[in-house]
Amino acid sequence: MTDRFPEGRIALVTGATSGIGLAVAEALGAAGAHVHINGLGSSGQIAAALAAVRMAGAPSASHHVADLRDPDAIRAMMAAVGSVDVLVNNAGIQHTASLAEMPDERWDALIAINLSACFHTMKAALPGMAERGFGRVINIASVHGLVASVNKAPYVAAKHGLIGLTKVAALEMAAQGSRASGGVTVNCVCPGWVETPLIEPQIAARAVDGDRDAGIRALLAEKQPSLRMTLPAEIASLALWLCRREAHNLNGAALPVDGGWTAQ
């Protein structure tokens, strides 16, 4: 596995100004892909993300401001990017409340960004992938695409839907391309707890006498048997492997990276 199979290919990663998305964008850049990112953030944060992708080795990197709640904006972004070889649907939002108390507008936003946006990007990208005989769609779902938790109705519904959508697309693309070309595959990665800045307050709240590791163990104890979080770079390594030629027959899968959460 010494060749740089994604080298020179065009990649689009949504939700890539931080966290898992940025780590995936950096990994693709390090493998020689031309990387397009989409995501929220200040001008400084966006500039820093692009600099990180270029520093990783991407021959080019650009940012697209499309609002993923808007199908027209998504179509415009896909047209601007052009022929996409690697599509990583990572953007997502969350809102916790009981089903009875979930605001209608939050339901609509979560379904739009976590599920419908993936449909629109895939609809635009898959025909070209099929024509070229190579393509990779990697949908960053969640452990909540496989199991449920209370107070997360729209998130769980969207992530379960994303896994179903992934399976349909995988079946429709399964015979495209060849072993030599790499084929067209559509898969989900389903992370459990991932160590990102967004969860630091939850760790700190559980830390005893400032012991961060104790805080992590306490946070994960209910769900994730490993008691270890996954790093964004580890998710990125899996995503990069899925882009390789030898992954041509790994298709339609929902791959849990959850420390045993869904094995219980």
Side-chain angles (χ1 to χ4, degrees), residues 161-183:
L162 183 56
I163 290 176
L165 175 64
T166 296
K167 291 179 179 180
V168 171
L171 290 174
E172 292 180 357
M173 292 291 111
Q176 302 299 323
S178 64
R179 180 183 288 110
S181 71

Side-chain angles (χ1 to χ4, degrees), residues 13-27 37 53 88 90-91 140 232 236:
V13 186
T14 68
T17 50
S18 64
I20 292 172
L22 179 55
V24 172
E26 290 178 291
I37 66 172
V53 173
V88 183
N90 169 74
I140 307 300

Side-chain angles (χ1 to χ4, degrees), residues 198-222:
L198 291 176
I199 62 170
E200 284 300 325
Q202 297 177 67
I203 296 172
R206 292 165 175 80
V208 178
D209 297 326
D211 187 340
R212 185 174 181 277
D213 289 339
I216 290 173
R217 290 191 296 272
L219 180 62
L220 272 58
E222 180 183 347

